Amino acid sequence: MKFIRIILFPIVPFYYLITWLRNWLFNVGFKSSKSYEFPVICVGNLSTGGTGKTPMIEYLIRLLKDEKSLATLSRGYRRKTDGFILADENANADTIGDEPFQFYRKFNNISVAVDADRQAGISKLRSINPQPEVILLDDAFQHRKVNAGFNILLTAYHNLYFNDIVLPTGNLREPRSGANRADLIVVTKCNKDISEGEKKKITSKLKIKSNQQLFFSYVDYAMDVLSESDSKELSKLPKFTLVTGIANAKPLVDFLVEKGLKFDHLEFSDHYDFRASDIENLESKSLILTTEKDYVRLGDYKSLEGKLYYLPIEIKIDNAVQFNAAVRGFIN
């Protein structure tokens, strides 16, 4: 894969030019972008994935759900349906996608919808009863037809966008200058003990604008693993099989190794669609630990009941009071 990316390097300038030109056309008004009179918050990134958008959406839900009526709107990546769908009791990972289904399972009293056309999705969400007061757009930073009132841009500590180039050789969906559209920039997946000196170094390289704020966050792993009907203490787990279908499993693997846990790792691509042969292989395992995103797909298999658990995570934001105030300030 790396070799293919290297030999495709001559395409990089063309991809850069096309995406830069597209952004310029939106910026100067040749391409239209719809704005809204109610709060629309976009969470996204410049790269192709692995920055922690789902935990950030969940952070915002926890922050705002008791203050405003909320809706999330996602594309529903790799779902087996089309068009607008509002999650209900019949929803699953196939109908709305794994990450939206995770939101639906986890949070009561919010609306969860999917639509590849974000403008149409917002319009349909505002027609439901009760009407959501705030809409959270998941992974919509490049959807320029919607002019979100507030943009939160994520960049992972171990793959900061200033060290990257655009596709197909790099991982950026658009040039680094796209970061100028962000209101808040969050460096995600930092070490818990990141130093002030390191923060200053990153701040300098990111070249934050005067109208932007920069924050740092880390992943906080739970100390218990969960299933639908059971929980186990993480530190007391016997040897298990770790199953991941996420963009970057390294932070999770590193955490489990640091805890001194013994496990084998079955690593799949992001949003992997598990096949019958994969399930048959997993059925032979005595204990399986996975991510919450993978659990919402694997949990449907009755043959894995009693042996399948997931490790919950949350993000913790440095200067959370300031971050929360910035979000609430926009909404209010």
Side-chain angles (χ1 to χ4, degrees):
M1 188 64 178
K2 275 189 174 181
F3 176 72
I4 294 174
R5 285 190 164 213
I6 290 170
I7 64 175
L8 290 176
F9 182 76
I11 300 174
V12 166
F14 297 99
Y15 184 93
Y16 180 99
L17 181 61
I18 290 168
T19 51
W20 180 89
L21 180 61
R22 176 180 180 269
N23 278 334
W24 181 79
L25 291 172
F26 275 108
N27 292 343
V28 299
F30 282 119
K31 278 181 164 289
S32 62
S33 184
K34 186 170 183 178
S35 299
Y36 299 89
E37 295 179 354
F38 53 89
V40 177
I41 299 176
C42 168
V43 174
N45 51 23
L46 297 184
S47 67
T48 51
T51 57
K53 294 183 296 295
T54 300
M56 177 56 74
I57 291 286
E58 292 189 356
Y59 182 96
L60 294 172
I61 293 172
R62 291 188 184 96
L63 176 66
L64 302 172
K65 65 183 176 64
D66 295 328
E67 304 171 14
K68 302 285 183 179
S69 60
L70 296 180
T72 66
L73 179 61
S74 310
R75 171 187 170 189
Y77 186 62
R78 288 205 176 179
R79 61 184 169 123
K80 297 176 181 177
T81 56
D82 297 307
F84 176 84
I85 295 179
L86 182 66
D88 59 19
E89 65 274 7
N90 298 313
N92 56 44
D94 286 339
T95 59
I96 63 172
D98 48 16
E99 289 158 340
F101 187 49
Q102 181 175 320
F103 302 148
Y104 179 73
R105 288 175 73 252
K106 205 164 187 176
F107 299 101
N108 298 321
N109 303 321
I110 73 164
S111 299
V112 176
V114 294
D115 197 335
D117 183 339
R118 301 305 205 280
Q119 274 194 21
I122 290 173
S123 176
K124 288 170 182 172
L125 271 172
R126 290 284 286 181
S127 69
I128 67 174
N129 187 24
Q131 185 183 71
E133 297 171 286
V134 179
I135 295 179
L136 306 177
L137 299 181
D138 177 22
D139 195 14
F141 198 71
Q142 282 74 39
H143 289 264
R144 299 294 309 274
K145 289 183 179 180
V146 167
N147 182 26
F150 201 71
N151 284 287
I152 301 175
L153 179 68
L154 311 182
T155 183
Y157 174 76
H158 294 289
N159 190 25
L160 296 160
Y161 61 75
F162 63 72
N163 290 325
D164 208 348
I165 61 173
V166 297
L167 294 163
T169 301
N171 292 310
L172 298 186
R173 299 169 172 176
E174 61 173 298
R176 287 172 281 190
S177 57
N180 294 337
R181 302 195 304 275
D183 296 284
L184 306 183
I185 297 175
V186 183
V187 179
T188 62
K189 302 184 179 182
C190 297
N191 299 322
K192 268 188 180 183
D193 57 353
I194 183 172
S195 68
E196 291 301 317
E198 182 72 5
K199 289 180 186 177
K200 286 179 182 177
K201 194 182 300 182
I202 292 172
T203 303
S204 173
K205 290 183 177 179
L206 286 175
K207 298 183 171 138
I208 303 299
K209 306 296 181 184
S210 59
N211 63 316
Q212 297 176 319
Q213 295 183 67
L214 177 65
F215 297 90
F216 295 83
S217 71
Y218 65 89
V219 175
D220 187 33
Y221 295 96
M223 290 297 103
D224 292 316
V225 300
L226 306 178
S227 70
E228 289 300 313
S229 57
D230 190 23
S231 66
K232 294 181 183 294
E233 194 172 334
L234 177 66
S235 62
K236 294 181 179 178
L237 289 183
K239 187 175 181 181
F240 57 87
T241 300
L242 175 67
V243 177
T244 60
I246 56 178
N248 180 15
K250 188 177 184 302
L252 172 57
V253 171
D254 290 346
F255 169 76
L256 296 174
V257 169
E258 286 171 9
K259 290 291 179 185
L261 297 167
K262 304 297 181 186
F263 59 94
D264 299 316
H265 185 195
L266 296 179
E267 186 171 14
F268 300 92
S269 58
D270 197 17
H271 299 278
Y272 182 75
D273 190 8
F274 292 95
R275 303 169 185 168
S277 58
D278 300 317
I279 302 305
E280 187 177 346
N281 180 34
L282 293 179
E283 287 170 351
S284 68
K285 310 299 181 184
S286 57
L287 180 62
I288 303 165
L289 180 63
T290 190
T291 67
E292 190 168 3
K293 185 169 84 169
D294 295 309
Y295 184 87
V296 299
R297 283 173 288 139
L298 291 172
D300 286 338
Y301 293 95
K302 295 295 184 185
S303 58
L304 301 181
E305 197 172 320
K307 62 174 68 178
L308 180 67
Y309 292 80
Y310 68 90
L311 179 62
I313 65 169
E314 289 185 22
I315 61 166
K316 301 293 184 182
I317 299 176
D318 209 9
N319 272 333
V321 172
Q322 185 180 342
F323 179 92
N324 297 350
V327 174
R328 287 192 173 107
F330 162 69
I331 288 173
N332 295 325

